[in-house]
Amino acid sequence: MTSLQDRVQALAGDRLVGIRRGIEKESLRARPDGKLALTPHPAALGSALENTHITTDFSESQLELITGVHAGIDSCLDELTRIHQFVYREIGDEVLWVASMPCGLPPDETIPIGVYGTSNVGRAKSVYRMGLGHRYGRRMQTISGIHYNWSMPGVTNEQYFGLIRNFRRHSFVLLYLFGASPAVCSTFVDGRSHELQPFGAGTLHMPFGTSLRMGRLGYQSDAQSRLAVSYNSLEVYGASLEEALTKPYPPYEKIGIRNPGGDYNQLATSLLQIENEFYGTIRPKRVIRSGERPLHALRERGVEYVEVRCMDLDPFEPVGIGAQTMRFLDVFLLHCLLADSPPDTPDEIVALARNQQRAAARGREPGLKLERGASETTLVEWGAEVVDGCVPIARRLDALHGGEAYTQAVRAAREALAAPATLPSARVLETVGRDFAGSFVAFVRAASEQVKQALLRLPFAPDDAAHYVALARESIAEQQRRESVDIIPFEIFREQYLDIRGLRL
């Protein structure tokens, strides 16, 4: 058996330099008073259906900003910053909410879902979101985060799935180190049972919480909890998903595809309407062709990259994530790839879900223990073991790139493990309590306005502005073109898209 250090040294330098990453960042548009903006997606940002860099997520009020694929961390952040600079110039007095947990929300049924026009693809996107609202409530869908897309040349399907299994085992490290959502506006839990404790005016929290977004109140589903998806191979993963995508689920059959008036409630009555509905901390991904199902793309052409989905927006970073965090993610993902990764089991899958809940709700609790095999170990001890294993990887990356930035990122993580008061989740609670009389909304409102003004003050080249104006204009034209050539009735389009044959080779 080779050691992790040997495996690191055996990796060809050009593969490590060939690592690519991209960011998708969700943010609610909020009014100056800290309530959800109910205005339509700004026309100056282009078509949410066709603009490849500025779209919407669940809600019409929830922007998603998307970078291209980057060889460098700084260039990735630079692009994300430029997209923000353009957006801030086009949203009037609104702000981008800099926290993962939402601003003041209106009643659930009045949270607007994304609108994508009259084409079949556009209608399908809206109907899918309507289904999410029926299934989970609209409030849950307003939670925002960072998705970090990552790839390295020469990684096989088997190796990517080994990475994913280890990531799921060790993702508590990321929740602990980078979770930044320990508190929430009380409107988020109106009418729901919860274990949150009062903090201040209109604010609830978990005293040792790290990421409510990744806990019971976040992207969780009782229905999906029965979905014990295994990541032991692409074949096993695909079979699990296919069943969830095709087998009717009685509670969703009761909702129905359409209501008596003929309007659509959801795309399908299966446990998952489409692949994107499956919640997870990480996903295997492949760029799809026009009209292609994501599972078909994976089965036909294999895993192209992984999408890390458990990162909160950091309210202390202007664009929600910083370079040091990205460097740690690169090292952490390489550790997941290179470390031994035994097959998962049904028992482990259930235990990992419990570990995630503990780390999200109580991660900073002194002495908190997680399940590890047949025994338990403290989160901090296990986390230190993982982070220590990242050291040789960071050194190798620094040797290739020059400097000590990767080593410093790992060192900062190691220090944070031993100093929970320095973590983003602790800093949020400290700042809310000290400077904002316990009001989460007041804190995030001030931070959001501060970030907006800081980014508006940065130089923004006329060529960059013209670039995003052109993208917006082209995206609107493309949506109009798409709508003009659509001749298939929507119901036929829906049936064809969801046909099981579209999932299979």
Side-chain angles (χ1 to χ4, degrees):
M1 290 288 288
T2 55
S3 70
L4 182 67
Q5 188 152 357
D6 290 338
R7 293 173 198 172
V8 174
Q9 294 306 320
L11 266 181
D14 59 348
R15 290 182 65 198
L16 289 168
V17 173
I19 287 172
R20 296 291 182 267
R21 77 279 294 156
I23 289 174
E24 303 164 32
K25 186 227 183 193
E26 304 152 348
S27 293
L28 292 175
R29 287 185 292 111
R31 302 184 333 205
D33 64 0
K35 291 189 168 62
L36 186 70
L38 299 178
T39 46
H41 182 64
L45 302 182
S47 160
L49 180 66
E50 303 289 355
N51 193 327
T52 53
H53 292 290
I54 304 169
T55 181
T56 53
D57 195 66
F58 169 79
S59 173
E60 184 75 352
S61 312
Q62 188 175 33
L63 288 172
E64 183 173 348
L65 311 181
I66 305 165
T67 73
V69 180
H70 287 267
I73 284 172
D74 291 335
S75 69
C76 187
L77 281 175
D78 286 347
E79 183 186 8
L80 187 58
T81 301
R82 289 195 300 275
I83 298 171
H84 277 80
Q85 289 178 279
F86 177 70
V87 167
Y88 278 126
R89 282 164 168 76
E90 305 297 345
I91 60 173
D93 65 353
E94 294 173 1
V95 296
L96 299 186
W97 197 248
V98 297
S100 280
M101 301 309 282
C103 52
L105 295 175
D108 198 82
E109 66 278 4
T110 62
I111 295 170
I113 63 169
V115 176
Y116 304 95
T118 60
S119 70
N120 285 326
V121 171
R123 287 186 66 191
K125 288 174 77 74
S126 290
V127 172
Y128 166 61
R129 285 155 174 75
M130 187 71 72
L132 295 177
H134 283 301
R135 291 167 176 223
Y136 315 111
R138 297 188 181 190
R139 271 178 288 183
M140 187 183 98
Q141 304 298 324
T142 63
I143 298 171
S144 299
I146 293 265
H147 296 167
Y148 192 70
N149 299 318
W150 186 92
S151 68
M152 185 173 77
V155 180
T156 65
N157 288 336
E158 183 180 359
Q159 289 167 336
Y160 270 127
F161 274 89
L163 179 161
I164 289 169
R165 290 194 300 277
N166 275 339
F167 183 95
R168 284 165 46 77
R169 290 174 179 123
H170 299 152
S171 59
F172 69 87
V173 173
L174 301 181
L175 300 190
Y176 178 87
L177 290 174
F178 305 115
S181 55
V184 68
C185 175
S186 58
T187 60
F188 183 74
V189 293
D190 280 350
R192 297 174 67 184
S193 61
H194 61 81
E195 53 186 5
L196 301 176
Q197 300 176 21
F199 192 67
T203 298
L204 298 166
H205 82 305
M206 292 294 282
F208 297 108
T210 61
S211 178
L212 297 183
R213 170 175 171 264
M214 297 305 298
R216 292 190 190 283
L217 288 173
Y219 272 108
Q220 302 295 315
S221 156
D222 290 338
Q224 287 192 29
S225 65
R226 68 195 66 219
L227 239 185
V229 172
S230 168
Y231 294 85
N232 284 338
S233 68
L234 176 52
E235 293 71 29
V236 170
Y237 173 78
S240 301
L241 271 195
E242 183 178 308
E243 180 176 359
L245 288 162
T246 55
K247 184 178 177 182
Y249 181 60
Y252 298 159
E253 286 185 298
K254 287 181 183 175
I255 296 171
I257 298 289
R258 293 164 112 162
N259 63 30
D263 293 329
Y264 283 86
N265 291 328
Q266 56 186 347
L267 284 176
T269 60
S270 42
L271 187 60
L272 304 177
Q273 299 172 86
I274 57 175
E275 292 89 331
N276 283 357
E277 189 172 344
F278 177 53
Y279 300 132
T281 53
I282 186 169
R283 280 182 188 158
K285 299 278 285 206
R286 159 68 63 174
V287 173
I288 60 171
R289 296 167 180 156
S290 177
E292 184 181 31
R293 296 292 296 271
L295 182 53
H296 180 275
L298 277 176
R299 283 171 159 170
E300 182 180 78
R301 302 187 298 284
V303 183
E304 186 175 5
Y305 64 97
V306 291
E307 178 188 50
V308 173
R309 300 172 53 79
C310 61
M311 301 300 290
D312 284 354
L313 299 180
D314 186 339
F316 303 106
E317 289 285 350
V319 295
I321 189 170
Q324 189 170 79
T325 299
M326 292 171 68
R327 288 193 177 91
F328 184 82
L329 281 172
D330 285 354
V331 176
F332 181 81
L333 288 163
L334 279 168
H335 183 271
C336 292
L337 177 69
L338 296 172
D340 291 337
S341 185
D344 58 37
T345 65
D347 285 346
E348 185 189 29
I349 291 169
V350 173
L352 291 179
R354 287 193 292 261
N355 281 351
Q356 180 177 324
Q357 301 291 356
R358 286 188 203 176
R362 298 161 47 207
R364 288 178 290 108
E365 183 180 297
L368 179 71
K369 292 189 174 181
L370 301 179
E371 298 176 49
R372 188 177 188 183
S375 61
E376 290 190 329
T377 187
T378 68
L379 182 155
V380 171
E381 288 172 343
W382 193 359
E385 184 183 317
V386 173
V387 173
D388 288 347
C390 291
V391 171
I393 300 169
R395 287 177 179 153
R396 181 83 202 284
L397 288 171
D398 281 336
L400 288 165
H401 291 281
E404 294 186 345
Y406 283 97
T407 301
Q408 288 169 357
V410 173
R411 187 182 301 129
R414 190 68 170 83
E415 291 170 355
L417 275 167
T422 66
L423 297 171
S425 55
R427 292 173 61 203
V428 166
L429 291 180
E430 181 193 17
T431 307
V432 169
R434 184 190 64 222
D435 299 339
F436 296 94
S439 171
F440 167 77
V441 166
F443 158 65
V444 186
R445 192 173 69 208
S448 300
E449 184 61 37
Q450 191 176 7
V451 165
K452 177 179 182 176
Q453 296 308 322
L455 287 176
L456 284 173
R457 284 194 298 269
L458 288 179
F460 189 48
D463 285 352
D464 288 332
H467 169 69
Y468 291 110
V469 167
L471 279 180
R473 190 181 302 121
E474 290 159 12
S475 71
I476 292 169
E478 179 58 26
Q479 178 176 323
Q480 292 169 342
R481 187 204 64 77
R482 186 189 291 274
E483 291 171 350
S484 71
V485 299
D486 253 0
I487 54 172
I488 302 174
F490 178 71
E491 179 58 19
I492 294 174
F493 170 85
R494 185 192 70 83
E495 291 174 350
Q496 288 178 349
Y497 183 76
L498 295 177
D499 191 310
I500 192 171
R501 289 171 293 186
L503 297 171
R504 295 173 174 172
L505 297 179

